[in-house]
């Protein structure tokens, strides 16, 4: 059975997506365009990190190896 725990990369990526979403909304609410753009960038970084974690998990599962 595959290890169903979420990988560190996926967890961090999800956290970055959430905080980026908050930052984007806060920037929009207070009219701070720089904060809004930073939030959007943070969300993108989180999505990328989450995808990287998913890819690593898929390879581990295909090879039948466990996480470090």
């Amino acid at each position: 059975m595959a290890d169903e725990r979420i990988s560190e990369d996926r967890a961090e990526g999800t956290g970055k997506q959430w905080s980026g979403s908050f930052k984007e909304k806060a920037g929009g609410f207070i009219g701070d365009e720089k904060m809004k753009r930073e939030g959007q960038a943070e969300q993108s970084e989180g999505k990328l990190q989450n995808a990287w974690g998913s890819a690593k998990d898929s390879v581990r599962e295909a090879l039948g190896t466990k996480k470090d």
Side-chain angles (χ1 to χ4, degrees):
M1 180 174 184
D3 190 354
E4 294 181 10
R5 292 178 296 155
I6 191 166
S7 73
E8 185 176 328
D9 283 314
R10 290 174 61 195
E12 287 180 19
T14 299
K16 286 178 185 178
Q17 287 179 44
W18 287 352
S19 66
S21 178
F22 177 80
K23 193 181 284 188
E24 178 185 9
K25 287 180 173 108
F29 182 72
I30 63 173
D32 186 337
E33 285 299 315
K34 182 180 179 204
M35 180 186 280
K36 188 175 175 182
R37 286 191 308 272
E38 287 173 353
Q40 291 168 339
E42 196 169 325
Q43 286 180 75
S44 295
E45 182 181 346
K47 287 177 185 176
L48 208 81
Q49 187 168 7
N50 197 329
W52 174 247
S54 292
K56 286 177 19 180
D57 290 345
S58 294
V59 169
R60 276 192 202 102
E61 187 177 318
L63 295 175
T65 60
K66 294 189 179 205
K67 294 179 187 172
D68 299 326

